[in-house]
Amino acid sequence: MKLEDVIAQLEQLCPPQFAVSWDNSGLQVGRYDQEIFSVCLALDATSPVIEFAIEQGADLLITHHPLLFAGLKQIHDRDFVGRRVIDLIRNEIACYAMHTNFDVMGMADAAADLLKLRDREVLEVTYEDDVSKEGIGRIGRLQEHMKLDEFAAFVRDAFSLDQVRVFGNGNDTVITCAILPGSGKEEIDLAAAAGADVYVTGDLNHHAGIDAVEKGIAVIDAGHYGVEKLFVPYMRDYLRRELPGLKIITAPEGEPCRLI
């Protein structure tokens, strides 16, 4: 199967027009006429992931986060991004990113499904036409009322995490939840205005957390990787179902930081 045919299937799931304007989703490296037999899935196109893809003989690396964000003026082996590009080209591995278009068309509902949110709506609309409104994040109601600490434990277990960070009174009851996988600090006010009792996201710093509590909304930091890692099993299942002729492998990844 040619790369352009694989991309066509990926873009049926997550059309490019759903990516936000600042993003760089899509083909990062590769030839559209390249024959694809083996696909490696990962959250990030790090050097260890690329080395793994090379060892496994992959023809295509599909990641959530783009390999290329800022424009490259030079590509050489003394720059770590340049080395990644060189390694991919040298080993004839294409690289394709499904970022904010996947956030909109896959990630948001998949994360809300894990939390079993009912009556859900888009948290932040990023795309609108005559037919529908789409966007990142979801807000909905929990299946049952919980205390904040009880719900935090539920989030931890739902996403298979070792721990989560919680800002708020652990005995407060939470009914309505907003979730935005990835880095969602900027959407705290949006979640609060939408009526969420608790907001689940990643990359929350000290001030964002304590300020959120002052604004009347509890927040749970489940980690950027912690929530978005669902990209890999989601896409593994999708590709096995829609393109059964391809070999699908998943790169060994884990939480990029350690607690000591």
Side-chain angles (χ1 to χ4, degrees), residues 78-92:
R78 293 188 178 181
D79 170 73
F80 72 95
V81 178
R83 286 196 300 272
R84 293 174 182 174
V85 173
I86 291 169
D87 285 343
L88 288 167
I89 294 173
R90 178 184 292 157
N91 291 278
E92 297 188 335

PDB file of all heavy atoms in Angstrom, residues 78-92:
ATOM      1  N   ARG A  78      24.260  18.127  13.709  1.00  0.00           N
ATOM      2  CA  ARG A  78      24.607  18.770  14.969  1.00  0.00           C
ATOM      3  C   ARG A  78      23.391  19.401  15.646  1.00  0.00           C
ATOM      4  O   ARG A  78      23.518  20.051  16.675  1.00  0.00           O
ATOM      5  CB  ARG A  78      25.707  19.814  14.755  1.00  0.00           C
ATOM      6  CG  ARG A  78      27.039  19.183  14.354  1.00  0.00           C
ATOM      7  CD  ARG A  78      28.161  20.183  14.333  1.00  0.00           C
ATOM      8  NE  ARG A  78      29.416  19.529  13.988  1.00  0.00           N
ATOM      9  CZ  ARG A  78      30.585  20.157  13.914  1.00  0.00           C
ATOM     10  NH1 ARG A  78      30.666  21.461  14.144  1.00  0.00           N
ATOM     11  NH2 ARG A  78      31.680  19.471  13.594  1.00  0.00           N
ATOM     12  N   ASP A  79      22.242  19.175  15.054  1.00  0.00           N
ATOM     13  CA  ASP A  79      20.967  19.615  15.628  1.00  0.00           C
ATOM     14  C   ASP A  79      20.113  18.371  15.838  1.00  0.00           C
ATOM     15  O   ASP A  79      20.014  17.522  14.951  1.00  0.00           O
ATOM     16  CB  ASP A  79      20.269  20.592  14.677  1.00  0.00           C
ATOM     17  CG  ASP A  79      18.849  20.890  15.121  1.00  0.00           C
ATOM     18  OD1 ASP A  79      18.687  21.611  16.118  1.00  0.00           O
ATOM     19  OD2 ASP A  79      17.909  20.387  14.466  1.00  0.00           O
ATOM     20  N   PHE A  80      19.486  18.243  17.030  1.00  0.00           N
ATOM     21  CA  PHE A  80      18.803  16.979  17.330  1.00  0.00           C
ATOM     22  C   PHE A  80      17.593  16.750  16.431  1.00  0.00           C
ATOM     23  O   PHE A  80      17.305  15.596  16.061  1.00  0.00           O
ATOM     24  CB  PHE A  80      18.408  16.905  18.816  1.00  0.00           C
ATOM     25  CG  PHE A  80      17.270  17.806  19.230  1.00  0.00           C
ATOM     26  CD1 PHE A  80      15.974  17.317  19.271  1.00  0.00           C
ATOM     27  CD2 PHE A  80      17.503  19.123  19.605  1.00  0.00           C
ATOM     28  CE1 PHE A  80      14.918  18.123  19.670  1.00  0.00           C
ATOM     29  CE2 PHE A  80      16.456  19.943  19.995  1.00  0.00           C
ATOM     30  CZ  PHE A  80      15.161  19.443  20.027  1.00  0.00           C
ATOM     31  N   VAL A  81      16.897  17.821  16.038  1.00  0.00           N
ATOM     32  CA  VAL A  81      15.787  17.635  15.108  1.00  0.00           C
ATOM     33  C   VAL A  81      16.322  17.262  13.729  1.00  0.00           C
ATOM     34  O   VAL A  81      15.775  16.388  13.045  1.00  0.00           O
ATOM     35  CB  VAL A  81      14.910  18.900  15.028  1.00  0.00           C
ATOM     36  CG1 VAL A  81      13.769  18.697  14.016  1.00  0.00           C
ATOM     37  CG2 VAL A  81      14.322  19.236  16.401  1.00  0.00           C
ATOM     38  N   GLY A  82      17.405  17.914  13.325  1.00  0.00           N
ATOM     39  CA  GLY A  82      18.028  17.578  12.050  1.00  0.00           C
ATOM     40  C   GLY A  82      18.462  16.126  12.001  1.00  0.00           C
ATOM     41  O   GLY A  82      18.279  15.438  10.984  1.00  0.00           O
ATOM     42  N   ARG A  83      19.036  15.630  13.121  1.00  0.00           N
ATOM     43  CA  ARG A  83      19.453  14.222  13.163  1.00  0.00           C
ATOM     44  C   ARG A  83      18.258  13.292  12.999  1.00  0.00           C
ATOM     45  O   ARG A  83      18.354  12.258  12.329  1.00  0.00           O
ATOM     46  CB  ARG A  83      20.172  13.922  14.480  1.00  0.00           C
ATOM     47  CG  ARG A  83      21.580  14.479  14.578  1.00  0.00           C
ATOM     48  CD  ARG A  83      22.360  13.833  15.707  1.00  0.00           C
ATOM     49  NE  ARG A  83      21.732  14.039  17.006  1.00  0.00           N
ATOM     50  CZ  ARG A  83      21.959  15.098  17.792  1.00  0.00           C
ATOM     51  NH1 ARG A  83      22.781  16.052  17.385  1.00  0.00           N
ATOM     52  NH2 ARG A  83      21.369  15.201  18.962  1.00  0.00           N
ATOM     53  N   ARG A  84      17.138  13.651  13.610  1.00  0.00           N
ATOM     54  CA  ARG A  84      15.936  12.813  13.479  1.00  0.00           C
ATOM     55  C   ARG A  84      15.474  12.758  12.024  1.00  0.00           C
ATOM     56  O   ARG A  84      15.142  11.688  11.507  1.00  0.00           O
ATOM     57  CB  ARG A  84      14.814  13.361  14.362  1.00  0.00           C
ATOM     58  CG  ARG A  84      15.102  13.247  15.849  1.00  0.00           C
ATOM     59  CD  ARG A  84      14.018  13.954  16.654  1.00  0.00           C
ATOM     60  NE  ARG A  84      14.295  13.911  18.088  1.00  0.00           N
ATOM     61  CZ  ARG A  84      13.582  14.539  19.002  1.00  0.00           C
ATOM     62  NH1 ARG A  84      12.518  15.265  18.624  1.00  0.00           N
ATOM     63  NH2 ARG A  84      13.884  14.468  20.278  1.00  0.00           N
ATOM     64  N   VAL A  85      15.445  13.903  11.372  1.00  0.00           N
ATOM     65  CA  VAL A  85      15.034  13.954   9.970  1.00  0.00           C
ATOM     66  C   VAL A  85      15.986  13.132   9.105  1.00  0.00           C
ATOM     67  O   VAL A  85      15.556  12.350   8.246  1.00  0.00           O
ATOM     68  CB  VAL A  85      14.959  15.415   9.465  1.00  0.00           C
ATOM     69  CG1 VAL A  85      14.698  15.458   7.967  1.00  0.00           C
ATOM     70  CG2 VAL A  85      13.879  16.186  10.221  1.00  0.00           C
ATOM     71  N   ILE A  86      17.280  13.301   9.334  1.00  0.00           N
ATOM     72  CA  ILE A  86      18.279  12.552   8.562  1.00  0.00           C
ATOM     73  C   ILE A  86      18.113  11.052   8.773  1.00  0.00           C
ATOM     74  O   ILE A  86      18.142  10.271   7.814  1.00  0.00           O
ATOM     75  CB  ILE A  86      19.706  13.001   8.952  1.00  0.00           C
ATOM     76  CG1 ILE A  86      19.952  14.436   8.458  1.00  0.00           C
ATOM     77  CG2 ILE A  86      20.757  12.046   8.382  1.00  0.00           C
ATOM     78  CD1 ILE A  86      21.224  15.063   9.018  1.00  0.00           C
ATOM     79  N   ASP A  87      17.920  10.633  10.027  1.00  0.00           N
ATOM     80  CA  ASP A  87      17.761   9.204  10.317  1.00  0.00           C
ATOM     81  C   ASP A  87      16.516   8.638   9.635  1.00  0.00           C
ATOM     82  O   ASP A  87      16.538   7.507   9.120  1.00  0.00           O
ATOM     83  CB  ASP A  87      17.676   8.976  11.827  1.00  0.00           C
ATOM     84  CG  ASP A  87      19.023   9.116  12.515  1.00  0.00           C
ATOM     85  OD1 ASP A  87      20.055   9.063  11.821  1.00  0.00           O
ATOM     86  OD2 ASP A  87      19.042   9.284  13.753  1.00  0.00           O
ATOM     87  N   LEU A  88      15.437   9.388   9.636  1.00  0.00           N
ATOM     88  CA  LEU A  88      14.214   8.928   8.987  1.00  0.00           C
ATOM     89  C   LEU A  88      14.425   8.767   7.480  1.00  0.00           C
ATOM     90  O   LEU A  88      14.062   7.740   6.893  1.00  0.00           O
ATOM     91  CB  LEU A  88      13.068   9.904   9.261  1.00  0.00           C
ATOM     92  CG  LEU A  88      12.502   9.899  10.683  1.00  0.00           C
ATOM     93  CD1 LEU A  88      11.608  11.122  10.897  1.00  0.00           C
ATOM     94  CD2 LEU A  88      11.722   8.627  10.963  1.00  0.00           C
ATOM     95  N   ILE A  89      15.009   9.778   6.862  1.00  0.00           N
ATOM     96  CA  ILE A  89      15.220   9.725   5.417  1.00  0.00           C
ATOM     97  C   ILE A  89      16.208   8.626   5.041  1.00  0.00           C
ATOM     98  O   ILE A  89      15.984   7.861   4.094  1.00  0.00           O
ATOM     99  CB  ILE A  89      15.703  11.097   4.898  1.00  0.00           C
ATOM    100  CG1 ILE A  89      14.596  12.145   5.067  1.00  0.00           C
ATOM    101  CG2 ILE A  89      16.123  10.998   3.430  1.00  0.00           C
ATOM    102  CD1 ILE A  89      15.028  13.561   4.741  1.00  0.00           C
ATOM    103  N   ARG A  90      17.290   8.527   5.807  1.00  0.00           N
ATOM    104  CA  ARG A  90      18.315   7.519   5.510  1.00  0.00           C
ATOM    105  C   ARG A  90      17.735   6.109   5.574  1.00  0.00           C
ATOM    106  O   ARG A  90      18.119   5.233   4.793  1.00  0.00           O
ATOM    107  CB  ARG A  90      19.470   7.667   6.510  1.00  0.00           C
ATOM    108  CG  ARG A  90      20.584   6.641   6.338  1.00  0.00           C
ATOM    109  CD  ARG A  90      21.624   6.814   7.422  1.00  0.00           C
ATOM    110  NE  ARG A  90      22.351   8.064   7.274  1.00  0.00           N
ATOM    111  CZ  ARG A  90      22.987   8.683   8.282  1.00  0.00           C
ATOM    112  NH1 ARG A  90      22.946   8.174   9.495  1.00  0.00           N
ATOM    113  NH2 ARG A  90      23.644   9.801   8.058  1.00  0.00           N
ATOM    114  N   ASN A  91      16.801   5.896   6.493  1.00  0.00           N
ATOM    115  CA  ASN A  91      16.222   4.564   6.676  1.00  0.00           C
ATOM    116  C   ASN A  91      14.870   4.404   5.985  1.00  0.00           C
ATOM    117  O   ASN A  91      14.171   3.423   6.222  1.00  0.00           O
ATOM    118  CB  ASN A  91      16.092   4.263   8.165  1.00  0.00           C
ATOM    119  CG  ASN A  91      17.428   4.067   8.834  1.00  0.00           C
ATOM    120  OD1 ASN A  91      18.012   2.989   8.783  1.00  0.00           O
ATOM    121  ND2 ASN A  91      17.935   5.133   9.460  1.00  0.00           N
ATOM    122  N   GLU A  92      14.529   5.375   5.141  1.00  0.00           N
ATOM    123  CA  GLU A  92      13.309   5.325   4.341  1.00  0.00           C
ATOM    124  C   GLU A  92      12.073   5.091   5.209  1.00  0.00           C
ATOM    125  O   GLU A  92      11.231   4.242   4.914  1.00  0.00           O
ATOM    126  CB  GLU A  92      13.417   4.265   3.241  1.00  0.00           C
ATOM    127  CG  GLU A  92      14.513   4.570   2.232  1.00  0.00           C
ATOM    128  CD  GLU A  92      14.492   3.617   1.046  1.00  0.00           C
ATOM    129  OE1 GLU A  92      13.989   2.487   1.195  1.00  0.00           O
ATOM    130  OE2 GLU A  92      14.953   4.024  -0.038  1.00  0.00           O
TER     131      GLU A  92
END
